[in-house]
Amino acid sequence: MLRLEKIHKSYTIGKNALHVLKGIDLTIEEGELAAIMGSSGSGKSTLLNILGLLDDYDSGEYHLDGRLMKGLSETRAAIYRSQSLGFVFQSFNLIPFKTAAENVALPLYYQKVRRKKRNKLAREYLEKVGLLEWADHLPTELSGGQMQRVAIARALISRPKVIFADEPTGALDSTTSLEVMDVLQAINAEGVTMVIVTHEHDIAGMCGRVIHLNDGMIETDERNAAAAA
Ligand code: ADP
Ligand code: MG
């Protein structure tokens, strides 16, 4: 479903190029729950952003669902993202003056879905993450774990095939982190492919596959049978 071949990526800073990804070969199959680990600066977010069509790469090939993703216009990338990809970030990225339900419904607003249907679906997805009774609350009234579950519901509402999560539990305490991971595991068990960047071994231990990046290269890539949800 996701196939990277010899991916290289550099950032230009003034006159210097910083070579961040140094030949990544990686295939992620439909239905996998994969963790990407590695020390800070090893290129995890860069890799996730390329997989999620949030950023381009310099050389190599990326096939998403059999289609080559290379040199996409911003419009094209946005279309592919809204059709089949979902995102969850460490900082939740909720709109502070909108309720939980309104935040969840937002992707449907951009897809021009009618208000009544948006509201109905938003409540369904909030229920899925155990937050129906919080639908009319603002993010400031929610705990961190609840905010992240709202963000997950928002990612799910457009029925993505893949969810990319960049340190989704990075701002949460360990109990709450496990609750959020339970939700992500349950979604994966329903067939959504998931790629999670994490620093935490506990979190990676809940994933069926753990990929270690070191200085822009894949150092290890291991299956974890015990994590099968
Ligand atoms: P990680 O997520 O593993 O901590 P990143 O992929 O965010 O690592 O970053 C890898 C390296 O690339 C770091 O040295 C970082 O400073 C640099 N970097 C990331 N994004 C940019 C950018 N937009 N412009 C310049 N340098 C960047
Ligand atoms: Mg990062």
Side-chain angles (χ1 to χ4, degrees):
M1 137 145 286
L2 310 172
R3 186 156 55 89
L4 298 176
E5 286 168 284
K6 299 191 174 65
I7 293 290
H8 286 261
K9 169 79 178 175
S10 296
Y11 293 111
T12 315
I13 306 158
K15 285 184 179 173
N16 300 313
L18 180 66
H19 196 181
V20 176
L21 297 181
K22 303 173 179 171
I24 300 285
D25 291 304
L26 177 65
T27 301
I28 293 177
E29 302 294 349
E30 192 169 346
E32 279 200 88
L33 170 52
I36 299 176
M37 297 195 80
S39 56
S40 181
S42 57
K44 303 181 297 296
S45 295
T46 302
L47 177 59
L48 203 74
N49 291 344
I50 290 171
L51 287 168
L53 306 178
L54 293 167
D55 203 354
D56 209 351
Y57 50 94
D58 301 328
S59 66
E61 289 191 350
Y62 172 28
H63 288 86
L64 169 62
D65 249 348
R67 269 193 270 192
L68 179 63
M69 300 286 136
K70 196 167 197 169
L72 298 180
S73 68
E74 187 40 51
T75 313
R76 241 317 99 199
I79 290 169
Y80 286 135
R81 283 198 301 269
S82 70
Q83 281 173 349
S84 53
L85 311 178
F87 298 89
V88 176
F89 300 98
Q90 176 171 355
S91 51
F92 322 130
N93 296 0
L94 300 179
I95 297 181
F97 53 84
K98 289 194 179 291
T99 65
E102 288 166 344
N103 269 283
V104 173
L106 206 60
L108 300 183
Y109 171 83
Y110 291 115
Q111 291 169 28
K112 302 196 167 43
V113 175
R114 298 182 64 107
R115 178 191 293 268
K116 207 170 164 194
K117 189 171 180 198
R118 289 200 308 260
N119 291 344
K120 181 170 175 283
L121 284 169
R123 278 164 203 277
E124 275 178 37
Y125 280 92
L126 279 171
E127 185 165 28
K128 221 179 159 64
V129 299
L131 290 178
L132 184 55
E133 60 273 38
W134 293 88
D136 300 317
H137 287 256
L138 293 171
T140 47
E141 298 167 326
L142 305 178
S143 69
Q146 288 174 327
M147 285 196 268
Q148 194 58 298
R149 278 145 66 198
V150 171
I152 292 168
R154 180 185 55 189
L156 284 175
I157 202 164
S158 37
R159 305 191 128 274
K161 290 185 189 166
V162 192
I163 288 188
F164 298 102
D166 197 345
E167 314 242 11
T169 64
L172 306 175
D173 64 57
S174 54
T175 313
T176 314
S177 295
L178 295 180
E179 281 168 24
V180 164
M181 275 307 290
D182 283 340
V183 172
L184 292 177
Q185 272 189 328
I187 293 161
N188 171 251
E190 290 178 10
V192 180
T193 306
M194 207 159 306
V195 185
I196 301 177
V197 165
T198 183
H199 268 102
E200 294 152 82
H201 287 277
D202 288 3
I203 301 299
M206 294 173 79
C207 299
R209 181 173 174 191
V210 183
I211 298 148
H212 270 268
L213 278 190
N214 183 15
D215 194 20
M217 286 181 282
I218 293 179
E219 189 175 50
T220 59
D221 181 352
E222 289 168 338
R223 305 276 163 178
N224 179 9

